[in-house]
Amino acid sequence: MLYSKYEWRTLSADAEISGQLAKELSVSPLIASLMAARGITSPEDGELFLNGTFDLTHDPFLMLGMNEAVPRIRKALEDKEHILIYGDYDADGVSSTSLMIYLMRHLGASYDIYIPHRSNEGYGLHNHALDWAHQQGVSLVITVDTGISAVEQIAYANELGMDVIVTDHHEPPEQLPDAYALINPKISACPYPFKGLAGVGVAYKLAQALVGTPPQEWLEIVAIGTIADLMPLEGENRILVKNGLLSMRRTRFAGIRALLEVGGVNVDQVTAVNVAFAMAPRINASGRLDHAGRAVTLLTTDHQDEAERLAWELDALNKNRQQVVEQIVQESMDMIQRRWGYDQLPPVIVLAGEGWNVGVVGIVASKILERFYRPVVILGIDPETGNCKGSARSIPGFDIYEALNSCKDVMHHFGGHPAAAGMSLHMDRLAEFEEGLCSFADVVLREEHFIPVYHADLECSIADVPLKVIDELEMLGPFGMSNAVPKMVFRGMEVMEVRKMGKENKHLKLRFHQNGDRLDAVAFGLGHLADVLPEGTKVDVLGELSVNEWNDSRKPQLMIQDMSVPYQQVFDYRGMKEPIIELKRLREILEPHLNYSAARSAVVFAQDSHDAIKSHLYDMSLWVYDRNAGILPMNPVAEKGGCESISVLFVLDVPESPGQLDSLLSSFRSVPNIFLLHPIRSKRDQLQIPTRDQFKKLYVMLAGLGSKPMSENEVITRMNRQSALSQRMLLKVLDVFEELVFIERSQGMITFVTKPDKKPLDASRHFRELSELAEMEQHLLHASTAQLTHWMMARSKGAS
């Protein structure tokens, strides 16, 4: 049984609404069902969703502060004032700054830009930067994607005689800064209808207010920042991003074209997904490991050579960032294991490490959250000052911004969204900080919050998704936050082929069939699951549909997000040379997928075998075969936990008798996964289910030896020459003859009884046990995997 990583929750689509949408909009039933499931309930709404135009965007002057900001900027232009554009170092901040550069060029302004260094300065407006700006003759500061929390800094700018216009989209604090104008749709008093703009979206509205209709290509910059900052792709954002992507497919920006090509993206087919996974990480890498100014230069250069050089530099920085992230993730996992163990985690995980690059701690937090599904805060400690800078990532139902606000007294600074935030504090207050977050979580979080949920759109079959329907899915894009790539659930698909692929075999390639239809699938990062998905396995899969194009051939393909096998499985690893090593490998790679800890995994073995088990597998539930009891617990873990809680059973030795097998199967009847790692005997030692003719021939042969005693070894040698039975089988035959008093055994000698009492073979207990033992061993040692699985399942049902 392969457990899904997430709880799948599938939307429901009203059949009547779906039918109406399909008819009125001329879309396939599947597309209509997807739209209905996502809340589109009328053809009119559907038409707006599919074909909404730029006319549906809102008047920028509806935004609070715009009426003050625009005249002030125009005055600065008229008076030739020097303007500072103050941005942020993430992809939204880079995009916002780049957009403002295009605006300043368009307006002919005198301007400078300033973006703080993430590691050296940290987030937000800084007094030393304002001092520098004042020295440069700046009289107007325009912030983009930052500034809404900069109460003290803006007061300082006012003292220096500089006006500050804030454009931001982050959550406003209780006390707002005394700026010349505050432009943020999330301010409670702001009447602007759409609250989900990115920082670059707010900057674009300012540009719109100043120039009327900005150049179409500026929307490419808006699309990058909006997608990268995970803003909802609905309402106004959907229109801005959709038009930005259309422009990007024929982009005249040298930097955007170079960045797409470095990322391996076909420019004329670029999608929101390409922006999110190819462009955004490279732009972000600039601010994480270097300075974000490099990315701004890339997005604003007119020179192709410079664009190509910078794009490759960002690509190299991104690869370096990936290595740094992997190292910190591993150090974080080790720290978690030492502090709590994986089974006793606190409601909020707070980790801090000296020298951890603060530019990547947000990514690390996301990866730790994905592994343990609870809020995570990762902080880098400056060993010289003791100051910590960190990032938080959260789960649905836990507003991390509010959680930080509950312990704001222990921090120097914090800010962010309900799902992600940043903060700084001194290491001396880390314990107090952690305690405050966990106390807040104890009140807010309930058990159900810690169950990861994956929202799927619909359940369907392979027959429902031909190539033309998958092509039609693009009508629902652009995809991103609040308009995710459609996710489908397919149940009961049978594995036809499975193989590992990619570097170090990290990925999984599958081919399924269902009622005569076939579908190829790929699962990134799940190559190890090839071990538990043999051909013929029936699988439930959640994934995203795509088209695989290769050599002018186009085929449907499923990108797997999660999967499960909803029934008991037997895995065949018989004959492994190093079964304990293989067992430990399987434990390490499969524990998250088979839903078991060490204490919930059992090992059964013969008492006189595998001397290393107790020292290597002491934390597991250990059991041994027993002649009388069948199986017995061997260590305190087994004695305390019993059999009921076991999720995975590893069998290292074949039972010595059918009774032991039945005891094993009845004790572990409900175990979802059984791994067989026992050795396989050679054919020479194979037992056979005895026939009466075999015994009759062997009896006649023994009778021909006469009545004189003969060495047992000699008897077996002669019997072996005249039959195809193994030596082990012949010893069992002699046990039967001895029990029926057809022979006598004494001190290694055998004497044939010339006139024995007539007794049927069935009267011999050894004969009956031999039949059962031979059948058991034929299956356990020599049957195919499918035959063995079927036999064990049937035997388990009959075991008592």
Side-chain angles (χ1 to χ4, degrees):
M1 179 177 287
L2 182 66
Y3 290 88
S4 58
K5 186 176 180 181
Y6 302 91
E7 176 188 329
W8 302 351
R9 294 182 184 171
T10 307
L11 300 173
S12 59
D14 184 280
E16 185 176 343
I17 293 175
S18 298
Q20 186 182 13
L21 292 175
K23 180 180 178 181
E24 297 290 334
L25 300 175
S26 299
V27 296
S28 68
L30 184 75
I31 299 300
S33 295
L34 282 168
M35 294 174 71
R38 294 186 175 200
I40 297 172
T41 58
S42 70
E44 293 75 20
D45 289 342
E47 179 65 28
L48 289 175
F49 180 81
L50 295 176
N51 303 308
T53 65
F54 207 78
D55 296 338
L56 298 173
T57 59
H58 305 296
D59 182 349
F61 285 98
L62 291 175
M63 204 170 284
L64 184 71
M66 197 67 76
N67 285 314
E68 291 76 27
V70 169
R72 178 66 185 87
I73 295 171
R74 286 182 175 151
K75 180 179 183 302
L77 295 171
E78 291 171 5
D79 295 346
K80 301 189 182 304
E81 295 180 53
H82 196 48
I83 300 171
L84 178 69
I85 306 301
Y86 194 105
D88 186 28
Y89 39 65
D90 68 359
D92 187 16
V94 165
S95 301
S96 304
T97 305
S98 300
L99 181 68
M100 293 301 290
I101 288 173
Y102 283 112
L103 176 63
M104 293 294 107
R105 290 176 181 174
H106 183 84
L107 296 173
S110 170
Y111 72 95
D112 261 320
I113 69 166
Y114 192 97
I115 297 177
H117 192 284
R118 183 190 289 257
S119 299
N120 299 338
E121 297 173 273
Y123 177 81
L125 205 55
H126 297 286
N127 286 351
H128 65 265
L130 294 172
D131 287 334
W132 171 83
H134 186 248
Q135 292 170 4
Q136 303 303 310
V138 168
S139 54
L140 175 62
V141 178
I142 304 174
T143 73
V144 286
D145 194 36
T146 189
I148 197 63
S149 299
V151 175
E152 296 177 2
Q153 292 81 6
I154 289 176
Y156 183 66
N158 293 338
E159 291 176 10
L160 294 175
M162 294 187 293
D163 291 334
V164 180
I165 295 172
V166 172
T167 73
D168 200 354
H169 73 127
H170 292 93
E171 296 293 331
E174 293 178 8
Q175 181 184 355
L176 294 173
D178 183 21
Y180 189 92
L182 291 176
I183 304 174
N184 184 336
K186 290 181 180 174
I187 294 174
S188 58
C190 181
Y192 196 76
F194 184 68
K195 306 296 184 181
L197 291 171
V200 70
V202 178
Y204 181 80
K205 300 310 290 188
L206 176 61
Q208 206 174 26
L210 283 163
V211 303
T213 303
Q216 176 78 9
E217 57 262 30
W218 289 9
L219 290 172
E220 298 174 36
I221 308 292
V222 176
I224 292 171
T226 303
I227 294 167
D229 215 42
L230 304 180
M231 291 296 101
L233 297 190
E234 59 187 9
E236 189 167 11
N237 278 347
R238 176 175 172 80
I239 296 171
L240 296 175
V241 170
K242 191 172 185 177
N243 283 275
L245 291 171
L246 288 173
S247 177
M248 201 180 294
R249 290 171 185 170
R250 55 181 188 278
T251 186
R252 292 184 294 177
F253 289 133
I256 287 179
R257 180 172 293 275
L259 198 56
L260 287 170
E261 290 175 350
V262 164
V265 178
N266 189 341
V267 177
D268 59 7
Q269 295 178 2
V270 63
T271 67
V273 174
N274 298 141
V275 173
F277 292 99
M279 298 184 76
R282 290 172 170 85
I283 293 173
N284 273 320
S286 176
R288 293 184 191 282
L289 298 187
D290 186 49
H291 192 281
R294 194 184 303 202
V296 171
T297 303
L298 172 66
L299 292 182
T300 56
T301 183
D302 294 325
H303 303 291
Q304 188 64 37
D305 290 346
E306 183 180 35
E308 291 177 359
R309 174 180 60 79
L310 289 169
W312 282 109
E313 287 177 4
L314 294 194
D315 183 67
L317 281 173
N318 189 51
K319 289 176 180 175
N320 186 19
R321 185 271 306 168
Q322 290 170 336
Q323 294 174 350
V324 172
V325 167
E326 286 183 15
Q327 180 181 346
I328 299 177
V329 166
Q330 186 57 55
E331 291 176 12
S332 298
M333 294 293 287
D334 293 342
M335 195 178 292
I336 290 170
Q337 180 64 46
R338 289 195 304 270
R339 287 192 66 184
W340 305 291
Y342 295 161
D343 297 327
Q344 302 292 328
L345 294 171
V348 180
I349 297 174
V350 179
L351 301 173
E354 281 195 4
W356 285 358
N357 189 312
V358 298
V360 302
V361 290
I363 302 174
V364 175
S366 294
K367 289 183 176 292
I368 300 299
L369 182 150
E370 184 180 355
R371 173 67 176 82
F372 298 108
Y373 201 71
R374 59 196 58 225
V376 178
V377 180
I378 305 292
L379 302 112
I381 303 173
D382 185 329
E384 294 183 4
T385 65
N387 288 328
C388 306
K389 294 178 183 177
S391 288
R393 297 293 183 269
S394 193
I395 59 177
F398 189 79
D399 187 328
I400 191 65
Y401 181 84
E402 288 301 320
L404 291 172
N405 193 51
S406 72
C407 49
K408 60 184 177 183
D409 293 340
V410 306
M411 293 177 287
H412 300 147
H413 174 83
F414 76 98
H417 310 293
M423 75 295 298
S424 62
L425 66 155
H426 195 272
M427 62 181 298
D428 291 344
R429 309 204 72 175
L430 276 173
E432 190 179 353
F433 174 65
E434 181 177 358
E435 183 181 348
L437 289 178
C438 289
S439 297
F440 184 87
D442 286 338
V443 175
V444 173
L445 291 175
R446 298 183 298 278
E447 188 174 342
E448 59 265 29
H449 286 118
F450 296 109
I451 300 172
V453 173
Y454 220 130
H455 292 281
D457 291 270
L458 300 171
E459 286 196 18
C460 59
S461 65
I462 297 176
D464 295 327
V465 289
L467 195 59
K468 63 179 182 179
V469 170
I470 299 176
D471 286 335
E472 203 176 352
L473 285 173
E474 287 302 316
M475 296 171 59
L476 304 180
F479 297 117
M481 293 299 290
S482 299
N483 187 45
V485 175
K487 294 174 177 59
M488 310 296 188
V489 172
F490 297 81
R491 297 197 184 275
M493 295 199 297
E494 185 171 332
V495 176
M496 288 179 65
E497 299 175 25
V498 59
R499 64 179 174 87
K500 300 176 183 180
M501 68 174 194
K503 187 179 179 181
E504 300 176 358
N505 289 326
K506 285 186 176 181
H507 312 305
L508 194 64
K509 177 78 173 179
L510 294 139
R511 175 167 290 175
F512 298 113
H513 72 91
Q514 184 185 59
N515 301 324
D517 298 302
R518 298 184 178 187
L519 180 63
D520 291 342
V522 173
F524 290 109
L526 296 179
H528 53 279
L529 290 186
D531 296 327
V532 291
L533 291 170
E535 184 180 333
T537 304
K538 293 286 185 70
V539 184
D540 293 343
V541 176
L542 184 153
E544 300 174 357
L545 290 161
S546 63
V547 177
N548 181 22
E549 301 190 34
W550 180 254
N551 288 339
D552 297 324
S553 174
R554 303 177 79 244
K555 291 183 178 180
Q557 180 172 261
L558 185 68
M559 311 304 291
I560 294 175
Q561 310 296 318
D562 200 8
M563 71 175 90
S564 71
V565 177
Y567 58 88
Q568 187 183 43
Q569 288 181 278
V570 175
F571 301 108
D572 188 356
Y573 286 83
R574 292 174 293 177
M576 296 296 302
K577 291 184 179 179
E578 300 287 349
I580 296 178
I581 293 176
E582 182 66 12
L583 187 158
K584 293 172 75 173
R585 183 188 76 85
L586 291 168
R587 265 186 60 184
E588 182 177 347
I589 65 173
L590 296 176
E591 182 176 334
H593 305 282
L594 301 187
N595 195 27
Y596 72 96
S597 58
R600 295 187 64 202
S601 52
V603 184
V604 180
F605 56 101
Q607 194 158 3
D608 58 353
S609 70
H610 304 293
D611 295 335
I613 283 181
K614 290 182 182 178
S615 58
H616 284 275
L617 307 178
Y618 61 89
D619 56 343
M620 299 175 71
S621 180
L622 303 181
W623 298 75
V624 293
Y625 295 117
D626 181 78
R627 185 177 299 275
N628 297 316
I631 59 169
L632 288 174
M634 186 66 177
N635 69 341
V637 179
E639 291 170 355
K640 180 180 179 181
C643 304
E644 295 301 318
S645 63
I646 299 300
S647 294
V648 178
L649 174 65
F650 296 97
V651 179
L652 295 188
D653 288 305
V654 174
E656 297 172 1
S657 69
Q660 289 182 355
L661 175 65
D662 289 339
S663 178
L664 172 68
L665 294 177
S666 63
S667 297
F668 296 101
R669 182 191 302 277
S670 59
V671 172
N673 296 288
I674 300 174
F675 287 83
L676 301 177
L677 295 110
H678 58 259
I680 299 176
R681 290 193 179 96
S682 67
K683 289 284 186 179
R684 291 177 301 175
D685 294 328
Q686 184 175 351
L687 296 179
Q688 296 181 13
I689 298 174
T691 66
R692 297 182 186 279
D693 284 345
Q694 285 176 330
F695 272 80
K696 185 176 180 180
K697 289 177 181 178
L698 292 171
Y699 179 83
V700 171
M701 190 203 71
L702 283 172
L705 297 179
S707 59
K708 292 183 179 180
M710 182 178 290
S711 159
E712 185 168 324
N713 289 336
E714 177 65 22
V715 171
I716 290 174
T717 299
R718 293 191 182 190
M719 293 171 70
N720 190 247
R721 290 184 192 137
Q722 297 181 40
S723 72
L725 301 180
S726 67
Q727 181 173 330
R728 183 163 167 257
M729 179 71 180
L730 293 173
L731 285 170
K732 298 290 186 183
V733 170
L734 292 180
D735 290 340
V736 174
F737 285 160
E738 181 184 21
E739 183 182 359
L740 296 174
V741 200
F742 293 170
I743 62 171
E744 292 179 353
R745 278 166 148 173
S746 178
Q747 297 181 350
M749 304 296 287
I750 290 179
T751 304
F752 180 72
V753 177
T754 54
K755 292 183 179 181
D757 294 336
K758 289 185 178 181
K759 298 176 183 175
L761 287 171
D762 291 344
S764 167
R765 176 178 59 84
H766 284 96
F767 179 80
R768 296 191 301 273
E769 288 182 352
L770 176 58
S771 297
E772 293 178 1
L773 185 60
E775 180 193 5
M776 180 187 82
E777 290 195 357
Q778 280 191 17
H779 283 95
L780 289 177
L781 300 177
H782 306 294
S784 69
T785 302
Q787 291 170 333
L788 174 57
T789 300
H790 179 76
W791 179 79
M792 285 192 67
M793 298 301 181
R795 184 106 187 183
S796 178
K797 291 177 182 177
S800 59

